[in-house]
Amino acid sequence: MAKITIFLVGVWLLGSWSYLSKPEYPTYKDPKQSIDTRVNDLMSRMTLEEKVGQMLQTERLVATPDSVKKYFIGSLMSGGGSLPAPQASAQTWIHMVNSFQRGALSTRLGIPMLYGIDAVHGHNIVYKATIFPHNIGLGATRDPDLVKRIGVATALELRATGIPYTFAPCIAVCRDPRWGRCYESYSEDPKLVQEMAQIISGLQGEIPDNLPKGVPYMGGKDKVLACAKHFLGDGGTTNGTDEGNTVISWDDLMRIHLPGYPVSISQGVGTIMISYSSLNGVKMHSNRDLITGLLKNTLNFKGFVISDFEGIDRMTTPYRINYTQYVGIAVNAGIDMFMVPSNYTAFLDGVTELVKNKVIPMSRIDDAVKRILWVKFMMGLFENPLADYSFVKYLGIQEHRELAKEAVRKSLVLLKNSESAGKPLLPLPKRVPKILVAGSHADNLGYQCGGWTVEWLGLNGNDELKGTTILSAIKNTVDPETEVIYKLNPDVEYIKSNEFSYAIVVVGEHPYAEWHGDSGNLTIPYPGPETITNVCGVIKCVVVVISGRPVVIEPYLASIDALVAAWLPGSEGQGVADVLFGDYGFTGKLPRTWFRTVDQLPMNVGHPNYNPLFPFGFGLTTNSTKAIYSA
């Protein structure tokens, strides 16, 4: 009996030792647990340094897999033009992102990092990606379903490069076209901006009916995290100055600039970015009443709040003076993650010091990190941290290019269409002896796409992009017997000495981004006005304006037979030719007021003394001639 007892005790001890020696399987790694349970378990295991690391997003240029591991970096990003290699392939992007991710996964707790990028009109800095029209053009379509489908396509192209997070959409309400970011705004009208925010459902996926509205949501490995920006009032600065001051009453702020945010939150947007601008003299990055009070408490936003690029630095005067002090102000205002593209150890050290000195309460750090981790769990990053190479096939596919062409066709706004011999100039006949195509923007993909295309400030030329210029599209569309001659800026004698049936003049703004695009005169750069004058003064002409906003056109209007606002159409110039030649009709409507002179600005629909050249919502229509040609 004693021998049996000893044997049983031995078996029990052996089993117990085996059980005790098994490595613990942390609750936060169990996908069967609720997100809240996983977040709380992970938070209980984290040191202050690990928590502060989650609040950092730095530029890939200053990071390595080892630094991601050493500093527990929670997020990385590519700024405009920040590429792993010139004309990098999708596989090259994935290899880079995964190498950083492996650094994050090798930390003590294995918290995956989140990689973000400015995919604001398609996956716009990636070679061979589909470049969609900028937001001002999408606003002209008045088609929320189209915008949602663009979101779906953009998400797939992001996933093709292994990136799960885009800093889009911009839901600013641009109230002054002198602002250099006006093309990032869908409209001067807050209701139209609300409708276009449907792109969030395309990017992130539709929230299922069994989930509460307003909780951050992303619907699978083919979707990406979105970011509504820039909170709040960035489109209303005085004189349209980028990063300037918006002087406005509370009622007007709520009526004009807020409406896009509750709609975005109801669609489950995961992140919201804070504006560089000030509101009645208070920097938005320091505005606790609006970030914590309005956004988090009143609107009940449950995702995380992210700063803009160098958002803390832009708070300081002079630049970077008393940096740590402003770190504390921004964290206490309610910002959760910070874009610190360089010198990020100053941020990490500053936050840690301020917590230890009780300037930043630990409860504020915990709130920020819980939000960040909640979104990461919701995205499935813990289960699928590494990029899936199977998505590579979606980069720049024909289906997406067809969608972009549809967007271009629907975005074109016909502003003038004069009749000659009882017949309007547009749609143009395809079969004529000879056509003149003129202008700086007719054969230039970089100009056609605008800013935020490969480089932050955009490009000049066709070498770095895959797409169709408007000139190529015209040649593709006309009858094979029709001769198409291109001259950038022909003189009057040249035009008179050739027997052109008509001319297409394509001119507009050169690419720009942010404050580089601020303009007090809004004139078309040389030689655009001269080209219009020379060509339209001699023969029948249609002028196609490529611009991120209305520009000065009234002085030339009398000589122009037909005028088209094509905005910044992106890589698929075929969409322009499709409508010019009648394969599709004009349907676009102005998303913002077209002024007569800049002295009238700011001028928006509903203002007293509203006297535009073309009012908000204006747009002539034409019918498709497809049926005629096929008869």
Side-chain angles (χ1 to χ4, degrees):
M1 184 71 176
K3 290 181 179 179
I4 295 173
T5 303
I6 292 170
F7 173 76
L8 291 173
V9 169
V11 171
W12 179 81
L13 287 172
L14 184 63
S16 299
W17 176 255
S18 175
Y19 173 80
L20 292 172
S21 65
K22 284 183 179 178
E24 178 193 9
Y25 186 73
T27 300
Y28 75 88
K29 292 188 176 181
D30 183 1
K32 295 179 181 177
Q33 301 294 323
S34 71
I35 294 179
D36 288 337
T37 298
R38 298 176 77 183
V39 169
N40 290 334
D41 179 68
L42 181 51
M43 288 286 294
S44 71
R45 302 168 186 271
M46 296 174 72
T47 64
L48 174 60
E49 288 72 21
E50 288 168 328
K51 290 178 179 179
V52 174
Q54 286 299 303
M55 298 173 66
L56 170 67
Q57 181 182 77
T58 195
E59 234 285 346
R60 55 161 287 276
L61 289 169
V62 300
T64 64
D66 286 340
S67 66
V68 171
K69 178 180 180 180
K70 178 179 179 180
Y71 295 104
F72 313 107
I73 294 173
S75 184
L76 293 175
M77 67 166 295
S78 280
S82 181
L83 316 172
Q87 297 187 2
S89 67
Q91 290 89 341
T92 300
W93 278 96
I94 288 178
H95 177 74
M96 177 197 70
V97 174
N98 280 351
S99 68
F100 286 125
Q101 189 66 280
R102 289 188 179 96
L105 297 176
S106 67
T107 57
R108 180 178 72 93
L109 295 170
I111 303 172
M113 67 88 193
L114 176 62
Y115 201 101
I117 198 166
D118 285 282
V120 298
H121 62 137
H123 200 4
N124 42 261
I125 77 167
V126 173
Y127 184 59
K128 293 186 177 180
T130 308
I131 309 300
F132 293 94
H134 268 297
N135 285 354
I136 189 170
L138 298 182
T141 71
R142 300 295 202 278
D143 191 340
D145 178 70
L146 169 67
V147 171
K148 186 186 297 185
R149 288 184 283 133
I150 289 172
V152 171
T154 301
L156 284 170
E157 298 210 14
L158 278 158
R159 287 294 189 173
T161 58
I163 297 175
Y165 180 26
T166 175
F167 310 127
C170 178
I171 54 172
V173 181
C174 175
R175 303 291 282 181
D176 192 325
R178 291 173 292 186
W179 184 35
R181 304 191 78 155
C182 201
Y183 64 79
E184 297 184 52
S185 169
Y186 293 107
S187 177
E188 71 187 46
D189 175 38
K191 291 182 180 178
L192 182 52
V193 171
Q194 279 184 308
E195 293 174 5
M196 295 297 110
Q198 287 292 322
I199 194 172
I200 292 168
S201 294
L203 292 164
Q204 295 192 163
E206 295 274 5
I207 300 179
D209 292 337
N210 63 339
L211 290 181
K213 298 293 183 185
V215 174
Y217 173 78
M218 197 185 82
K221 293 168 67 175
D222 60 343
K223 300 300 180 185
V224 297
L225 189 67
C227 179
K229 63 183 188 184
H230 309 84
F231 189 85
L232 180 65
D234 51 337
T237 59
T238 301
N239 298 324
T241 302
D242 191 44
E243 303 183 23
N245 184 33
T246 298
V247 179
I248 195 169
S249 69
W250 179 261
D251 287 346
D252 283 346
L253 180 69
M254 295 298 100
R255 178 178 61 85
I256 297 170
H257 297 287
L258 184 68
Y261 289 94
V263 169
S264 299
I265 293 168
S266 71
Q267 292 181 68
V269 72
T271 70
I272 290 177
M273 186 183 293
I274 302 303
S275 175
Y276 288 131
S277 58
S278 300
L279 186 64
N280 295 323
V282 178
K283 289 277 189 182
M284 271 305 309
H285 275 69
S286 69
N287 199 321
R288 190 176 189 278
D289 287 343
L290 289 182
I291 298 171
T292 297
L294 177 61
L295 181 58
K296 290 184 172 181
N297 294 341
T298 302
L299 298 181
N300 204 28
F301 175 59
K302 298 298 186 185
F304 68 80
V305 175
I306 187 168
S307 81
D308 208 334
F309 191 94
E310 291 188 335
I312 298 173
D313 307 71
R314 310 283 177 93
M315 296 168 67
T316 61
T317 305
Y319 182 74
R320 289 192 66 82
I321 292 294
N322 299 323
Y323 181 78
T324 299
Q325 175 188 345
Y326 284 95
V327 167
I329 291 170
V331 173
N332 284 332
I335 300 175
D336 304 311
M337 183 180 282
F338 290 81
M339 280 192 191
V340 185
S342 61
N343 198 29
Y344 59 82
T345 55
F347 169 79
L348 297 173
D349 293 343
V351 175
T352 303
E353 174 191 336
L354 292 169
V355 172
K356 290 179 177 178
N357 291 334
K358 301 188 185 307
V359 176
I360 299 175
M362 196 64 208
S363 59
R364 175 74 271 275
I365 300 298
D366 286 345
D367 172 60
V369 178
K370 282 181 179 179
R371 289 169 177 270
I372 293 165
L373 293 177
W374 204 100
V375 169
K376 288 185 175 183
F377 279 117
M378 176 272 300
M379 295 175 66
L381 267 182
F382 281 78
E383 285 67 57
N384 297 291
L386 297 175
D388 186 342
Y389 281 87
S390 69
F391 286 98
V392 166
K393 62 187 178 184
Y394 292 110
L395 184 66
I397 60 173
Q398 190 59 36
E399 180 183 343
H400 294 170
R401 295 188 181 278
E402 293 298 325
L403 178 61
K405 280 191 276 187
E406 178 188 348
V408 174
R409 293 192 296 260
K410 291 180 175 179
S411 71
L412 302 178
V413 181
L414 181 57
L415 298 174
K416 183 179 180 181
N417 194 16
S418 296
E419 293 190 1
S420 177
K423 183 180 179 182
L425 180 58
L426 293 172
L428 297 168
K430 295 180 180 179
R431 188 170 187 175
V432 293
K434 192 189 299 185
I435 299 171
L436 171 65
V437 178
S440 53
H441 289 54
D443 192 30
N444 195 312
L445 279 174
Y447 285 3
Q448 198 170 293
C449 292
W452 291 108
T453 308
V454 182
E455 299 290 342
W456 172 47
L457 297 177
L459 299 169
N460 176 3
N462 300 329
D463 294 340
E464 299 297 316
L465 291 161
K466 182 180 178 182
T468 304
T469 67
I470 294 171
L471 175 63
S472 296
I474 291 168
K475 291 179 177 179
N476 294 340
T477 305
V478 298
D479 187 270
E481 300 298 318
T482 296
E483 184 179 4
V484 177
I485 295 179
Y486 173 64
K487 289 286 185 180
L488 190 150
N489 186 30
D491 60 32
V492 171
E493 290 307 315
Y494 174 83
I495 301 165
K496 287 182 176 179
S497 64
N498 285 272
E499 295 181 356
F500 294 111
S501 302
Y502 56 80
I504 301 171
V505 177
V506 190
V507 294
E509 295 186 296
H510 297 158
Y512 55 82
E514 300 188 50
W515 68 90
H516 290 270
D518 285 0
S519 173
N521 56 47
L522 294 177
T523 52
I524 297 172
Y526 177 85
E530 182 178 280
T531 307
I532 295 172
T533 301
N534 288 352
V535 176
C536 297
V538 177
I539 57 173
K540 288 186 294 184
C541 74
V542 52
V543 173
V544 179
V545 178
I546 305 294
S547 68
R549 53 200 166 186
V551 290
V552 173
I553 199 71
E554 188 178 40
Y556 323 108
L557 191 58
S559 66
I560 295 171
D561 296 290
L563 176 63
V564 177
W567 315 111
L568 298 169
S571 60
E572 306 311 303
Q574 186 63 49
V576 177
D578 286 346
V579 183
L580 289 179
F581 291 95
D583 289 341
Y584 295 82
F586 280 93
T587 59
K589 303 296 180 185
L590 283 180
R592 58 177 316 100
T593 299
W594 202 294
F595 59 87
R596 294 178 182 275
T597 70
V598 292
D599 294 336
Q600 295 175 295
L601 301 176
M603 177 177 61
N604 297 282
V605 63
H607 277 189
N609 305 314
Y610 188 68
N611 182 30
L613 183 61
F614 302 106
F616 172 84
F618 179 81
L620 303 173
T621 60
T622 60
N623 295 320
S624 167
T625 57
K626 272 184 178 179
I628 297 172
Y629 288 118
S630 62

